[in-house]
Amino acid sequence: IMGIFKSGRVVVVLAGRYAGRKAIVVKATDDGTKEKKFGHAIIAGIDRYPRKVTKGSSKEKIEKRTKIKPFLKVVNYGHIMPTRYTVDIELKKLIDENTFVGENRSNTRKEIKKIFEEKYKNQTAKNDKKAAGLQYFYNKLRF
């Protein structure tokens, strides 16, 4: 089970506040650390998904509806389920040891928000594998 959670893998959060939300694995730690003695991953995901837009929508409406609210979390492997999709959103350089301390968390969240929204607006055709992953990632999980 350990080799599945590589960075870039789209996962579904199964437990807690963000249950049912999709996220991307940023960094996976198979053997655990001194503080967290279990396999866990840092994930960045979507708390509030972008809404539908139509061709007739005004610029302001599109702007408003394509807003995304992200989240950042360290999660036990048991609480996330891998999907078959991967995306190439590079978040590794944003996140380090100090990300979860104090102010840094909200700043990092703002950065992630920028990246997510940027990628969402610049999606391309639906045929190649990575694009399918992005498509899946930005769609709300219906259950």
Coordinates of all heavy atoms in Angstrom, one line a residue, residues 12-22 43 46-47 49 71 73 79-80 140-141 143:
V12 N -8.8 10.9 -2.1 CA -10.1 11.3 -1.5 C -9.9 11.2 0.0 O -9.5 10.2 0.5 CB -11.3 10.5 -2.0 CG1 -12.5 10.9 -1.3 CG2 -11.4 10.6 -3.5
V13 N -10.2 12.3 0.7 CA -10.1 12.2 2.2 C -11.3 11.5 2.7 O -12.5 11.8 2.3 CB -10.1 13.7 2.7 CG1 -9.9 13.6 4.2 CG2 -9.0 14.4 2.1
L14 N -11.1 10.5 3.6 CA -12.2 9.7 4.1 C -12.8 10.1 5.4 O -13.9 9.8 5.8 CB -11.7 8.2 4.2 CG -11.2 7.6 2.9 CD1 -10.7 6.2 3.1 CD2 -12.3 7.5 1.8
A15 N -11.9 10.8 6.2 CA -12.4 11.0 7.6 C -12.1 12.5 8.0 O -11.3 13.2 7.4 CB -11.6 10.1 8.6
G16 N -12.9 13.0 9.0 CA -12.7 14.3 9.5 C -13.4 15.4 8.8 O -14.3 15.2 8.0
R17 N -13.0 16.6 9.0 CA -13.6 17.8 8.5 C -13.7 17.8 7.0 O -14.6 18.4 6.4 CB -12.8 19.0 9.0 CG -13.4 20.3 8.6 CD -12.5 21.4 9.2 NE -12.8 22.7 8.6 CZ -12.2 23.8 8.8 NH1 -11.2 23.8 9.7 NH2 -12.5 24.9 8.3
Y18 N -12.7 17.3 6.3 CA -12.6 17.4 4.9 C -13.0 16.1 4.2 O -12.6 15.8 3.1 CB -11.2 17.8 4.4 CG -10.8 19.1 5.0 CD1 -9.8 19.2 5.9 CD2 -11.5 20.3 4.6 CE1 -9.4 20.5 6.4 CE2 -11.1 21.5 5.1 CZ -10.1 21.6 6.0 OH -9.8 22.8 6.5
A19 N -13.8 15.2 4.9 CA -14.2 13.9 4.3 C -15.0 14.2 3.0 O -15.8 15.0 2.9 CB -15.1 13.2 5.3
G20 N -14.6 13.4 2.0 CA -15.3 13.5 0.7 C -14.7 14.5 -0.2 O -15.1 14.7 -1.3
R21 N -13.6 15.2 0.3 CA -13.0 16.2 -0.5 C -11.8 15.6 -1.2 O -11.2 14.6 -0.7 CB -12.4 17.3 0.4 CG -13.5 18.1 1.1 CD -14.2 19.1 0.2 NE -15.0 20.0 1.0 CZ -16.2 19.7 1.4 NH1 -16.8 18.6 1.1 NH2 -16.9 20.7 2.0
K22 N -11.5 16.1 -2.4 CA -10.3 15.6 -3.1 C -9.1 16.4 -2.8 O -9.2 17.6 -2.5 CB -10.6 15.6 -4.6 CG -11.6 14.6 -5.0 CD -12.0 14.8 -6.5 CE -13.2 14.0 -6.8 NZ -13.8 14.4 -8.1
I43 N -1.1 16.7 2.4 CA -2.0 16.9 1.3 C -2.5 18.3 1.1 O -2.7 19.0 2.1 CB -3.2 15.9 1.3 CG1 -4.0 16.1 2.6 CG2 -2.7 14.5 1.2 CD1 -5.3 15.3 2.6
I46 N -9.1 20.7 -2.1 CA -10.1 21.7 -2.3 C -11.2 21.6 -1.2 O -11.9 20.6 -1.2 CB -10.7 21.6 -3.7 CG1 -9.6 21.8 -4.7 CG2 -11.8 22.6 -3.9 CD1 -10.1 21.7 -6.2
D47 N -11.4 22.6 -0.4 CA -12.5 22.7 0.5 C -13.8 23.1 -0.1 O -14.8 22.6 0.1 CB -12.1 23.6 1.7 CG -13.1 23.5 2.8 OD1 -14.0 22.6 2.8 OD2 -13.0 24.3 3.8
Y49 N -15.3 23.8 -3.9 CA -15.1 23.6 -5.3 C -15.6 24.8 -6.2 O -16.5 25.5 -5.8 CB -15.8 22.3 -5.7 CG -15.1 21.1 -5.2 CD1 -15.5 20.5 -4.0 CD2 -14.1 20.4 -6.0 CE1 -14.8 19.4 -3.5 CE2 -13.5 19.3 -5.5 CZ -13.8 18.8 -4.3 OH -13.2 17.7 -3.8
F71 N -7.3 23.6 1.2 CA -6.9 23.3 2.6 C -5.6 22.5 2.5 O -5.2 22.1 1.5 CB -8.0 22.4 3.3 CG -8.2 21.0 2.7 CD1 -7.4 20.0 3.2 CD2 -9.2 20.8 1.8 CE1 -7.6 18.7 2.6 CE2 -9.4 19.5 1.3 CZ -8.6 18.5 1.7
K73 N -3.2 19.8 4.9 CA -3.3 18.9 6.1 C -2.3 17.8 6.1 O -1.8 17.4 5.0 CB -4.7 18.3 6.0 CG -5.3 17.9 7.3 CD -6.8 17.7 7.2 CE -7.4 17.0 8.4 NZ -7.0 17.6 9.7
H79 N -6.6 7.4 6.4 CA -7.8 8.3 6.2 C -7.8 8.9 4.8 O -8.7 9.8 4.5 CB -7.7 9.4 7.2 CG -7.7 9.0 8.6 ND1 -8.6 8.1 9.1 CD2 -6.9 9.2 9.7 CE1 -8.4 7.8 10.4 NE2 -7.3 8.5 10.7
I80 N -7.0 8.4 3.9 CA -7.1 8.9 2.5 C -7.1 7.7 1.6 O -6.6 6.6 1.9 CB -5.9 9.8 2.1 CG1 -4.6 9.2 2.4 CG2 -6.1 11.2 2.7 CD1 -3.4 10.1 2.0
K140 N -16.5 18.2 -7.9 CA -16.9 17.7 -6.6 C -17.3 16.3 -6.6 O -17.9 15.8 -7.6 CB -18.1 18.6 -6.2 CG -18.5 18.5 -4.8 CD -19.6 19.5 -4.5 CE -20.0 19.5 -3.0 NZ -21.0 20.4 -2.7
L141 N -17.0 15.6 -5.6 CA -17.3 14.1 -5.5 C -18.8 14.0 -5.2 O -19.2 14.5 -4.1 CB -16.4 13.5 -4.4 CG -16.5 11.9 -4.4 CD1 -15.9 11.3 -5.6 CD2 -15.8 11.5 -3.1
F143 N -21.7 12.0 -3.9 CA -22.0 10.8 -3.1 C -23.2 10.9 -2.2 O -23.7 12.0 -2.0 CB -20.8 10.3 -2.3 CG -20.4 11.2 -1.2 CD1 -20.9 11.1 0.1 CD2 -19.5 12.3 -1.5 CE1 -20.5 12.0 1.0 CE2 -19.1 13.1 -0.5 CZ -19.6 13.0 0.8

